[in-house]
Amino acid sequence: MFKYTVLAGDTLTDIAVGLSSAAGVSVQSIEAANPGVNANALQIGTLLNIPARLGQTIALKYTIQDGDSYSIIAANLAGCTGLSFQEIEQANPSVNPNTMAVGQVLTIPISSASPIADPTIPLNQSGNAQKGLWYWTWSKKTQVPENTNLGIAFSGWVSPQTAIDNSNAVYSKLPGLKYICLGGGNESGSWTESAVQSVTNAIHSDSLSAYQGIAYDIEEGSSGLATAFAASFTAAKAKGLKVLVTVSHSAPYGITDAAALMRSFFASPVIDILSPQLYTTGEETSNQYATSAEVNWSEYADAKAIVAPSIVTASLYADAQAYFLAQGVSLGGFLQWKQ
């Protein structure tokens, strides 16, 4: 949901039509429609021209709210496909649609007709949505959400044998396709060339054959690992294993050439799922969209893999879909961190 400020002559029907027409508009289009506005210094109360997603017409005038940016505005609009005046009316029960006043602030809901209203629908239409769970190997209280189709045994260890030993206890509990995770955001999960090679050796020796996929958690480690990772991913695919790569925010925070590494991941034809983590502690109540290593979210549009972010809870997926759509990125599901 977001806020819209009523302008002179507005009706709920006009507002609904304008918002629906603008659903899916890009950040670049909004910026181009407002050449006199500094995108980096938006002022509360300034009126913006919001173009329609198709064509050059202006769909509506939008009043900048506190905390707005072009990315946030575009993300909010992404949920307005097919928005009806009845939905706006229902979201504002105390507002009389026949006596709306200029300056009155309305709550705009996500449209029930919008693809981001249902977190099980992948926007890229590349197949069934990924609905995964990071299953902590030490947890005694993990609850598997309904319809989860991918389970990842997460131990935080980069050592294949240690990860296997820790994951054995939860193997039978993993829902859907069973993945084992290697790596993590600490010293035990840090990547070096020898660590990558140990994973590749484990793949060749069929030590990981009980699983259907490998999740590479790449957050900390040495530089210059792009070639070693590519070889490991290729080895996994040759054994019939799926490949998932997860990183801290938009790129690994603890690898000095993270930007170059991410671009190799985007170009990889063998990575099945790319999962940026939209949290830091895993206890957040909203998605974190801060970038890392100067890798912008819009670059994920170049990924050959399905982009399915890791989020704290499934309830945050609609927000992630809207945000990424504004960056030109269609999501194909999500992985939940919360147990």
Side-chain angles (χ1 to χ4, degrees):
M1 293 187 177
F2 64 99
K3 303 298 183 182
Y4 173 86
T5 303
V6 175
L7 302 174
D10 271 346
T11 66
L12 290 187
T13 298
D14 292 338
I15 295 169
V17 169
L19 291 171
S20 183
S21 297
V25 69
S26 68
V27 170
Q28 295 79 6
S29 294
I30 296 175
E31 189 167 5
N34 297 276
V37 178
N38 183 343
N40 298 314
L42 297 183
Q43 300 296 312
I44 296 173
T46 299
L47 273 180
L48 295 178
N49 295 316
I50 305 296
R53 183 178 66 86
L54 301 175
Q56 303 297 316
T57 60
I58 299 302
L60 76 155
K61 300 278 189 177
Y62 173 80
T63 305
I64 294 174
Q65 310 288 323
D66 185 24
D68 270 347
S69 67
Y70 282 161
S71 292
I72 289 173
I73 293 169
N76 287 335
L77 290 169
C80 293
T81 301
L83 183 69
S84 68
F85 77 85
Q86 292 95 334
E87 288 177 305
I88 300 177
E89 188 170 7
Q90 290 170 6
N92 298 272
S94 63
V95 175
N96 185 337
N98 299 313
T99 58
M100 290 192 303
V102 173
Q104 192 165 9
V105 177
L106 301 177
T107 295
I108 304 299
I110 292 176
S111 168
S112 60
S114 171
I116 70 170
D118 184 349
T120 67
I121 299 176
L123 294 183
N124 61 6
Q125 300 299 315
S126 61
N128 293 330
Q130 308 302 313
K131 189 175 181 183
L133 174 69
W134 293 100
Y135 202 118
W136 307 348
T137 58
W138 63 90
S139 177
K140 303 297 184 183
K141 59 177 183 178
T142 301
Q143 296 183 1
V144 178
E146 187 178 359
N147 298 322
T148 300
N149 56 21
L150 186 161
I152 306 166
F154 176 81
S155 65
W157 288 91
V158 75
S159 162
Q161 191 56 56
T162 306
I164 291 170
D165 292 342
N166 278 268
S167 301
N168 284 339
V170 302
Y171 177 83
S172 63
K173 302 174 185 177
L174 295 176
L177 295 178
K178 301 179 188 295
Y179 282 66
I180 185 170
C181 181
L182 299 165
N186 52 40
E187 185 177 354
S188 298
S190 182
W191 293 92
T192 62
E193 188 163 0
S194 62
V196 180
Q197 188 59 51
S198 70
V199 173
T200 305
N201 292 342
I203 293 169
H204 286 310
S205 67
D206 292 327
S207 297
L208 305 173
S209 61
Y211 293 88
Q212 294 160 300
I214 300 174
Y216 294 77
D217 186 352
I218 304 171
E219 303 186 51
E220 299 183 5
S222 307
S223 60
L225 297 180
T227 299
F229 274 125
S232 190
F233 302 158
T234 300
K237 296 298 286 185
K239 289 288 187 177
L241 296 168
K242 293 187 176 295
V243 174
L244 184 155
V245 173
T246 185
V247 296
S248 39
H249 297 287
S250 64
Y253 67 84
I255 296 179
T256 55
D257 64 345
L261 184 63
M262 286 306 302
R263 282 151 200 154
S264 74
F265 294 163
F266 295 147
S268 174
V270 295
I271 297 175
D272 296 289
I273 301 171
L274 191 55
S275 184
Q277 299 158 20
L278 303 185
Y279 51 79
T280 301
T281 67
E283 298 180 355
E284 291 85 352
T285 56
S286 60
N287 293 322
Q288 293 188 332
Y289 297 112
T291 57
S292 44
E294 298 184 349
V295 175
N296 297 320
W297 292 119
S298 58
E299 295 184 61
Y300 275 72
D302 297 327
K304 296 183 183 299
I306 292 172
V307 178
S310 291
I311 54 182
V312 178
T313 66
S315 62
L316 299 177
Y317 184 50
D319 180 77
Q321 282 186 297
Y323 182 86
F324 276 87
L325 183 60
Q327 316 304 313
V329 182
S330 295
L331 300 184
F334 63 90
L335 309 179
Q336 178 173 303
W337 176 251
K338 185 177 181 181
Q339 301 300 286

